[in-house]
Amino acid sequence: MQKNDPDITLITADAPLAEATHGGRAKCLQRLVRLDLPVPRTIALSFNTVHAIASGELPDMARLLAPFGDAPLLCVRPSSQDPDWGGPGAVLNIGMNDARHAELADRIGERAAAILYRRFIQAYAIHVARLDPDIFEDLPDDPGQGVSQALRAYEDETEEPFPQDATVQLAEVLRSMARAWEGTTARLLRQAKGAPADAGLGLVVQELALGLGKGECGSGVMQLVDSQTGARQITGRYLSQSQGREALSGDSGALYLERDPRGPSLEELAPEAFAELKAYTARMRAQLHEEMQAEFTIEDGKLFILDGVRVARTARAAVSIAVALAEDGIITREEALMRVEPRALNELLHRQVDPEAPRDVLGRGVAASPGAASGRIVFTAAAAQAAAARDEPCVLVRRETSPEDIRGMHAAVAVLTERGGMTSHAAVIGRGIGLPCVVGASDIRFQTRKKQLTVPDGRVLKEGEVVTVDGTNGEVLAGTPRMLEPARDASFRTLMEWADANRDIAVRANADTPGDAELARTFKAQGIGLCRTEHMFFEDDRLTAMREMIFADSSEGRLASLELLLPIQRADFIDLFRIMQGQPVCIRLFDPPLHEFLPTDRAGHLQLAEALDLPLSNVERRVEALGEYNPMLGMRGVRLGITVPEIYEMQARAIFEATLEASREGEPVVPEIMIPLVSARREVELVKTRVDAVAAAVRNENGRDFAYRLGVMVETPRAALRAGEIAPLVAFLSYGTNDLTQMTYGLSRDDAGRFMSDYVKLGVYPEDPFHTLDTEGVGELLRIGADRARGANEDIVLSICGEHGGNPESIAFCRAAGFDYVSCSPFRVPVARLAAAQLALKDKIG
């Protein structure tokens, strides 16, 4: 069935075309025409026309073909609204038939003409007639014989001759491409890339510029930047037919665009065409405000521009390109900021597996901490430390990590765990120290006693074998694939400076050690939003004293042990304050249950008994007594601080004495002290009284004054709901969204990874709430808490310091709720800075 359709549009400078009706490729070709580039004659078919074709309503084919004259050779390409949504493959050489084959043989030679015809027969048979590609497997190498045999194979399979009428050929190609787009498989694939279910497809029908003839002929692509780095250099490829490197024959020899040490380059073969091509590509860059790749052909020395597409680029190149376009005055700085995806910055901050490298995937899990590293498998923290002492890279493999594994994690180059999710111990620590980490790899069988892993395909990996952990993609790879190094170059620094000039919410870093604080400074964090002091107690010189304190039977005994820890803790805080140079440092008081500092096996108990000079039975009884059924909801945080007050008193003294010492140089330090796991006003009153008393004692002992701010880490739903009662007692509330999410959902963040992917697939949750802040449920608690806190204390400072703090979606919520800052792992600070700037710019644009 045929009907006249007004949506057949010859692409001219003033033709009525739009991306929303004809797709991106059609609109880009119009822009090239407006730039006066030598684009072959092209017709655009609208989304509506293509949808009608899929339903069996063909446009007026005579009208469509009229602009191309008699016996045209054509190609048809897809034109979707977003190029990332894909589309059916292009079909070339439409119009080839017996007569055209003979005519072309006289003009460009029998071999080239036969190859064109044979390729069209095969493409038409496979993509239009839907024949099995195997029927062409045994075609002879001789192109002429190949054409005859391909025609016979087509006729044998379809029981009709190969169509010779260009109108019929084009009609069937259009119908096939339109129906392929509307098929179920194609729809699901593009929906997975973010396309709406009813996304339309346009088609462009273009006169074919063969790049074949008696003079210099060929085809290729050119761009003015390197796709990997964004560096300014001409890159691309050119296949010269006239130099005996036939683009049609499958010869892989690509000539350089510029001077080629292996032979003549395009610059030498066709200097005028090369100069034009450079000028046209530069014009595209300047006028289209983008780095473009030009697809071209040269026919008897004459240049044709077939298409222009946005240059493919890595994250590093994206930053470099955006900054260069802004510095050249082609786009504004604000536009440059909006062109870089914040999460893509992870690729610049960590080593990555080269996307072009072969990948032998052993298993998959949750991509918990970005970056990639290769090393030998080890199964214990002690083995990791031993490997590091030998300067041997290792991957720490554990069912799940615990605070006892901290030293092993610092020694390893990557971590792999069987259990856990985005906020599990391994994930949080990995992101904090920039360690590639894959957690929840439950498809791999962990046999820790045998010190081996069995992967889904049956391969067994033993301790000492080399694997690569790709924490960016959540994959475990065999061997050592090629890597790309981090790239925190001048373009990156420039982009970050522009981001800071535009954002309106502060970004701090979670930092537990001087090394973390140095990273925070490197990434221009505006202070430390969370310093978890418990991590400081796992070093060898502190752990024994900590365990002595745990085993003490009286307050005096605990004080004696803590007296040993006081100077060490004080030195830690002095280092942090000096590194941060007057910027705010928020120190969370001791949080974890005490049993985390005790060994879990008999060998460890025996070693501890020897260290403390106690009977083994005493040690075992004490360990058993400290055990809890649900330690994350047990004796930890403020509950421990109230029932064993000596710990918080020692920490407060260490903070205040460090404050005085660090304030001797530079600006006065004003520490922030945060009480964890609060659920009641009275808890805050009790701790505040003791902290204020320690502050008064330190002032009297030293004869010097200092200021400090006391706050609460809101991690329980009750604290959020009763924030109005708590706020008058404190200077700030910082929402610990990791635990708050866990308690709101009643989910263990360490175990949720086992079923979370199924829940997301089934639509129970839109996203993993430990990965993306639940703005409806947890978010409502944050809003209630913020409103009630401000109602009781208008000067109170509000923030979030969970891992959500580095997510663009969470930052958008915090800005809307009027929070003062977000805090996240040091390596996520640049992501947060850019995301905050983009959100501020979107608000300005409206």
Side-chain angles (χ1 to χ4, degrees):
M1 174 182 175
Q2 292 192 352
K3 73 172 190 177
N4 291 327
D5 193 318
D7 288 333
I8 298 174
T9 307
L10 178 66
I11 295 182
T12 60
D14 56 359
L17 292 173
E19 287 185 15
T21 56
H22 291 77
R25 174 172 270 123
K27 187 62 184 176
C28 182
L29 286 168
Q30 183 181 51
R31 293 185 179 114
L32 301 187
V33 169
R34 287 173 176 170
L35 295 180
D36 201 25
L37 304 191
V39 178
R41 189 175 288 107
T42 308
I43 292 285
L45 302 181
S46 70
F47 294 171
N48 290 337
T49 301
V50 175
H51 179 68
I53 293 171
S55 302
E57 298 179 357
L58 285 170
D60 185 334
M61 296 303 296
R63 178 168 166 254
L64 194 159
L65 283 166
F68 300 110
D70 296 331
L73 283 182
L74 306 172
C75 68
V76 179
R77 301 172 188 261
S79 180
S80 58
Q81 191 167 348
D82 186 323
D84 290 338
W85 296 349
V91 179
L92 311 180
N93 306 321
I94 301 165
M96 279 298 296
N97 52 28
D98 294 345
R100 196 79 165 100
H101 174 207
E103 185 269 325
L104 281 175
D106 292 337
R107 184 159 71 88
I108 64 174
E110 169 58 30
R111 177 179 173 81
I115 291 173
L116 279 176
Y117 195 10
R118 185 179 71 183
R119 287 199 171 177
F120 176 58
I121 296 167
Q122 290 178 261
Y124 189 93
I126 294 168
H127 300 296
V128 179
R130 305 294 173 183
L131 302 184
D132 192 327
D134 292 348
I135 67 172
F136 300 111
E137 275 189 354
D138 299 324
L139 294 183
D141 293 335
D142 179 83
Q145 294 178 16
V147 167
S148 300
Q149 191 163 322
L151 289 170
R152 282 196 301 272
Y154 180 91
E155 188 167 347
D156 290 344
E157 289 291 321
T158 62
E159 298 183 353
E160 60 184 27
F162 187 79
Q164 297 291 305
D165 187 340
T167 302
V168 173
Q169 292 176 359
L170 180 58
E172 292 305 314
V173 167
L174 296 176
R175 194 190 329 263
S176 174
M177 294 177 73
R179 289 178 174 172
W181 175 260
E182 300 204 352
T184 301
T185 300
R187 186 179 69 254
L188 291 175
L189 285 173
R190 63 177 176 267
Q191 281 183 268
K193 297 177 181 178
D198 60 350
L201 176 74
L203 293 173
V204 295
V205 182
Q206 188 175 71
E207 189 172 16
L208 199 63
L210 286 176
L212 297 168
K214 301 297 185 183
E216 176 53 39
C217 299
S219 60
V221 294
M222 171 190 270
Q223 61 192 52
L224 302 179
V225 294
D226 183 275
S227 289
Q228 290 291 326
T229 66
R232 297 285 296 163
Q233 64 184 67
I234 294 176
T235 61
R237 67 180 187 276
Y238 175 63
L239 294 168
S240 173
Q241 186 268 340
S242 59
Q243 288 294 308
R245 302 189 180 207
E246 295 181 0
L248 297 169
S249 67
D251 189 331
S252 62
L255 300 181
Y256 283 134
L257 297 172
E258 297 183 279
R259 292 193 172 272
D260 184 352
R262 302 170 301 175
S265 65
L266 174 58
E267 184 180 23
E268 295 163 306
L269 294 171
E272 290 185 10
F274 178 76
E276 285 182 332
L277 181 60
K278 281 202 302 184
Y280 290 154
T281 309
R283 189 185 304 175
M284 290 163 65
R285 177 180 187 264
Q287 298 300 316
L288 301 184
H289 302 170
E290 182 58 282
E291 288 291 354
M292 302 291 289
Q293 182 186 80
E295 181 183 351
F296 67 93
T297 60
I298 295 175
E299 191 168 313
D300 291 330
K302 184 178 181 181
L303 177 67
F304 295 92
I305 303 295
L306 308 183
D307 201 1
V309 298
R310 180 177 177 272
V311 167
R313 63 201 68 180
T314 63
R316 176 183 179 183
V319 170
S320 179
I321 288 169
V323 170
L325 288 171
E327 289 181 334
D328 290 347
I330 294 173
I331 62 175
T332 65
R333 292 180 176 183
E334 291 75 16
E335 287 177 282
L337 287 169
M338 298 303 293
R339 289 192 179 191
V340 178
E341 165 60 36
R343 285 188 177 89
L345 294 182
N346 284 320
E347 294 183 28
L348 280 73
L349 305 176
H350 307 272
R351 294 182 79 209
Q352 304 288 337
V353 176
D354 188 333
E356 304 298 323
R359 302 172 75 93
D360 182 1
V361 179
L362 299 172
R364 292 179 172 84
V366 178
S369 180
S374 305
R376 297 186 183 278
I377 296 171
V378 297
F379 287 88
T380 66
Q385 290 175 274
R390 299 191 299 270
D391 201 23
E392 185 177 276
C394 69
V395 172
L396 178 60
V397 175
R398 303 287 286 161
R399 291 196 185 280
E400 58 187 342
T401 62
S402 69
E404 286 184 322
D405 295 310
I406 290 289
R407 286 171 291 168
M409 294 178 71
H410 277 280
V413 297
V415 172
L416 170 66
T417 70
E418 180 183 26
R419 303 169 187 154
M422 285 300 295
T423 54
S424 63
H425 179 269
V428 172
I429 300 303
R431 288 192 293 272
I433 63 177
L435 187 69
C437 181
V438 172
V439 301
S442 55
D443 62 344
I444 299 174
R445 185 182 177 196
F446 286 60
Q447 297 169 284
T448 53
R449 289 188 179 180
K450 292 184 177 180
K451 295 187 176 180
Q452 66 182 35
L453 302 173
T454 302
V455 300
D457 65 8
R459 280 182 283 179
V460 176
L461 303 173
K462 296 185 180 296
E463 186 168 46
E465 294 192 49
V466 176
V467 298
T468 296
V469 172
D470 182 352
T472 302
N473 296 300
E475 293 181 340
V476 184
L477 311 176
T480 55
R482 188 169 60 253
M483 298 280 190
L484 298 178
E485 296 302 318
R488 300 195 286 268
D489 55 14
S491 294
F492 170 77
R493 292 191 294 272
T494 298
L495 190 78
M496 288 294 98
E497 289 172 4
W498 296 348
D500 291 340
N502 283 278
R503 62 185 169 89
D504 53 11
I505 187 170
V507 179
R508 296 194 194 180
N510 300 342
D512 303 335
T513 66
D516 295 341
E518 294 282 8
L519 273 176
R521 293 288 298 177
T522 298
F523 292 132
K524 302 297 177 65
Q526 293 166 280
I528 293 176
L530 173 62
C531 173
R532 292 162 286 219
T533 53
E534 59 269 14
H535 292 157
M536 299 174 174
F537 294 113
F538 282 97
E539 296 296 330
D540 287 333
D541 60 341
R542 311 158 191 226
L543 190 55
T544 299
M546 189 67 188
R547 287 171 170 173
E548 287 177 351
M549 187 276 296
I550 293 171
F551 274 80
D553 294 326
S554 64
S555 176
E556 292 76 14
R558 287 191 290 272
L559 286 171
S561 298
L562 291 169
E563 194 67 30
L564 299 175
L565 292 171
L566 174 63
I568 301 173
Q569 183 105 114
R570 182 173 58 232
D572 289 332
F573 295 143
I574 290 171
D575 285 343
L576 288 178
F577 293 150
R578 284 176 173 165
I579 290 168
M580 297 312 295
Q581 298 177 9
Q583 290 190 322
V585 176
C586 183
I587 298 168
R588 183 179 74 183
L589 297 175
F590 192 87
D591 181 48
L594 293 178
H595 75 84
E596 288 193 0
F597 294 87
L598 301 178
T600 56
D601 56 13
R602 185 175 176 81
H605 294 164
L606 180 59
Q607 188 177 12
L608 179 57
E610 292 172 348
L612 301 182
D613 193 23
L614 291 172
L616 177 61
S617 59
N618 286 14
V619 170
E620 290 177 332
R621 279 196 300 271
R622 184 62 171 155
V623 170
E624 184 179 354
L626 287 172
E628 295 178 284
Y629 289 109
N630 193 342
M632 288 299 99
L633 297 178
M635 180 74 81
R636 56 168 286 217
V638 68
R639 301 158 196 167
L640 186 63
I642 289 172
T643 56
V644 187
E646 297 85 1
I647 299 175
Y648 280 10
E649 289 174 357
M650 180 277 289
Q651 289 193 298
R653 175 170 285 275
I655 292 169
F656 296 143
E657 290 180 353
T659 297
L660 292 174
E661 180 62 30
S663 297
R664 294 181 189 277
E665 309 164 8
E667 299 180 33
V669 174
V670 181
E672 297 175 356
I673 299 175
M674 184 157 63
I675 310 169
L677 212 70
V678 165
S679 58
R681 172 189 171 94
R682 182 57 178 159
E683 291 173 323
V684 182
E685 289 175 341
L686 291 170
V687 174
K688 176 176 170 59
T689 298
R690 289 186 176 276
V691 170
D692 288 346
V694 173
V698 172
R699 289 188 182 108
N700 290 335
E701 291 164 12
N702 291 272
R704 294 170 59 197
D705 197 10
F706 57 86
Y708 65 94
R709 289 188 281 268
L710 187 71
V712 161
M713 190 170 186
V714 181
E715 301 166 272
T716 66
R718 192 178 193 281
L721 294 172
R722 308 310 296 168
E725 295 177 355
I726 296 170
L729 299 175
V730 297
F732 65 89
L733 295 179
S734 187
Y735 289 79
T737 52
N738 296 348
D739 271 347
L740 187 58
T741 298
Q742 184 169 234
M743 295 188 193
T744 302
Y745 275 82
L747 283 175
S748 164
R749 66 188 189 188
D750 294 314
D751 298 315
R754 297 182 182 184
F755 59 85
M756 189 57 68
S757 61
D758 292 333
Y759 259 47
V760 172
K761 287 176 186 175
L762 292 170
V764 180
Y765 304 144
E767 296 287 347
D768 180 346
F770 293 111
H771 187 208
T772 301
L773 181 67
D774 166 24
T775 56
E776 296 175 351
V778 178
E780 185 171 0
L781 285 172
L782 265 64
R783 282 190 291 268
I784 290 171
D787 291 343
R788 292 179 179 178
R790 286 216 170 95
N793 179 356
E794 63 181 14
D795 297 323
I796 198 161
V797 173
L798 300 175
S799 66
I800 67 171
C801 60
E803 282 303 302
H804 294 108
N807 289 343
E809 299 86 356
S810 307
I811 296 169
F813 173 88
C814 290
R815 289 183 70 252
F819 279 43
D820 297 282
Y821 71 85
V822 297
S823 187
C824 55
S825 301
F827 280 99
R828 303 184 83 187
V829 166
V831 176
R833 290 163 63 196
L834 179 57
Q838 291 183 350
L839 290 164
L841 289 171
K842 286 177 183 176
D843 282 354
K844 289 179 183 177
I845 295 169

